[in-house]
Amino acid sequence: MITAYILFYLLIISLYGYSALCFSFFYKKEINSKLKIQVGDILYGLFFLITILLLINFVIAIKFVAYPIFIIGIILFIIFYKKKKLDLKNFYQTLFITFIIILLNSENSPTYDTQLYHHQLLNWNYNYKIPLNLIALDNRMGMISPWQLFLSVGNFKILDSYIALLFNFIPVFLLINHTLNSTNDKNKISYRFINISSIFILIFSLVHPFKNGIIMMHLGSLGTELPSMIFFVLTIYFFLKFLENESYKNYQHILILSILTVFCRISYLPILFLPVFILKILE
């Protein structure tokens, strides 16, 4: 379990490094002054990595870039940390809460779909480049999502810890962090929405007849149900924040989170109407 904690910590700071790099392109002038990259901005790194992996996997297998991706991200984190461009507010509190959730779910059994075909999907991405007509082998093999392509980066073990199983804790980490950060807006609808959503997920997980609830069971699996649900909640949260404060950064969060939601499950496609709707408002 200690190994899993350490690996998840390294995974988060690696994502934070990529987010800082991506963020610096969006805010090139501001990043050179007082603007700092917040912990919740790791969604920039998520979007950046998934997009890059989609392009890379058309050429080579993920296994050739898995280790370099982690190492480069950690190096980027160290560089931006030394430049004092990172805002670590609520970072360790979020990690602590996430670690507790990892502990509570350490004995969860994987969902049926993970035992049936998820590992095969990750193995294909990890060991081969994107093949043509994979759907001819099995319908499920042609329905892989970009999120599962991202999970494929962790398709290996370190000291008996399977890295890919930690990836679905990243959206949970984001949800916790934004919930903690929302305390600055206690009188706003966005604060009430994200807190009620977080409490509902926790209570539903505890009262459900399955161990730790069916929602938390997905944390020990390789599916896309849990991340898509959390990204959906966060998209609505930032949409409400945008209505309260029409900032460019809030819009970026809505756009990235809505795309990440669809990257997880195509059934959430209507969520893309939110960033389009905002564009109409701004016209």
Side-chain angles (χ1 to χ4, degrees):
M1 185 55 62
I2 294 176
T3 303
Y5 289 164
I6 295 172
L7 292 173
F8 183 73
Y9 174 77
L10 294 175
L11 173 60
I12 290 296
I13 66 172
S14 179
L15 277 174
Y16 205 171
Y18 283 109
S19 299
L21 177 66
C22 189
F23 198 87
S24 64
F25 286 112
F26 282 109
Y27 300 92
K28 190 173 183 179
K29 293 181 180 179
E30 293 88 343
I31 204 68
N32 292 325
S33 56
K34 297 181 180 180
L35 186 65
K36 290 188 177 182
I37 302 96
Q38 297 177 346
V39 177
D41 293 329
I42 63 170
L43 61 93
Y44 287 88
L46 277 175
F47 181 74
F48 174 77
L49 274 181
I50 293 176
T51 303
I52 293 299
L53 287 170
L54 279 169
L55 299 175
I56 289 176
N57 203 207
F58 276 104
V59 182
I60 59 174
I62 298 298
K63 65 180 179 181
F64 296 114
V65 297
Y67 287 101
I69 281 175
F70 285 106
I71 295 170
I72 292 171
I74 294 171
I75 292 173
L76 288 171
F77 175 86
I78 295 172
I79 292 172
F80 282 95
Y81 181 78
K82 286 186 174 181
K83 290 183 177 181
K84 298 181 179 180
K85 299 299 181 183
L86 305 179
D87 181 2
L88 297 177
K89 179 184 177 183
N90 291 328
F91 178 65
Y92 293 105
Q93 295 95 317
T94 306
L95 270 178
F96 178 72
I97 296 172
T98 309
F99 287 164
I100 292 175
I101 294 175
I102 292 175
L103 178 63
L104 291 174
N105 290 273
S106 60
E107 296 183 0
N108 273 7
S109 301
T111 57
Y112 178 74
D113 287 346
T114 289
Q115 300 178 70
L116 181 63
Y117 65 90
H118 285 162
H119 283 289
Q120 293 92 316
L121 291 175
L122 267 59
N123 284 333
W124 271 104
N125 294 325
Y126 189 76
N127 293 299
Y128 308 99
K129 65 179 183 179
I130 293 178
L132 299 176
N133 298 325
L134 188 60
I135 194 172
L137 296 177
D138 190 295
N139 289 336
R140 300 181 186 90
M141 303 297 279
M143 298 172 64
I144 186 167
S145 71
W147 182 258
Q148 285 173 319
L149 181 63
F150 176 61
L151 295 181
S152 302
V153 177
N155 192 38
F156 59 89
K157 287 186 177 182
I158 295 180
L159 299 177
D160 292 329
S161 289
Y162 185 46
I163 311 301
L165 291 178
L166 299 173
F167 278 49
N168 274 348
F169 286 94
I170 296 172
V172 175
F173 177 89
L174 271 171
L175 179 64
I176 295 169
N177 183 259
H178 286 302
T179 302
L180 292 176
N181 290 339
S182 70
T183 54
N184 297 325
D185 305 313
K186 288 186 177 180
N187 297 321
K188 296 182 179 179
I189 296 177
S190 58
Y191 165 81
R192 296 171 186 171
F193 173 79
I194 195 168
N195 279 271
I196 290 173
S197 298
S198 299
I199 292 170
F200 172 80
I201 292 171
L202 176 62
I203 292 177
F204 182 85
S205 297
L206 293 174
V207 302
H208 200 279
F210 289 98
K211 184 177 181 180
N212 294 339
I214 189 65
I215 293 177
M216 294 300 183
M217 284 182 68
H218 285 292
L219 287 171
S221 304
L222 301 172
T224 60
E225 293 86 355
L226 182 68
S228 61
M229 176 188 68
I230 293 179
F231 288 142
F232 177 83
V233 169
L234 289 174
T235 304
I236 302 299
Y237 167 66
F238 278 101
F239 177 74
L240 294 173
K241 280 182 70 69
F242 180 85
L243 296 179
E244 296 162 356
N245 177 19
E246 295 184 3
S247 71
Y248 177 58
K249 187 176 179 181
N250 281 338
Y251 177 73
Q252 281 187 342
H253 279 63
I254 295 167
L255 182 61
I256 293 173
L257 284 165
S258 61
I259 293 174
L260 287 174
T261 305
V262 177
F263 274 178
C264 291
R265 295 185 75 84
I266 194 66
S267 57
Y268 281 91
L269 189 62
I271 196 68
L272 293 177
F273 283 113
L274 286 183
V276 175
F277 175 73
I278 290 175
L279 283 178
K280 291 293 184 181
I281 293 177
L282 297 176
E283 285 182 354

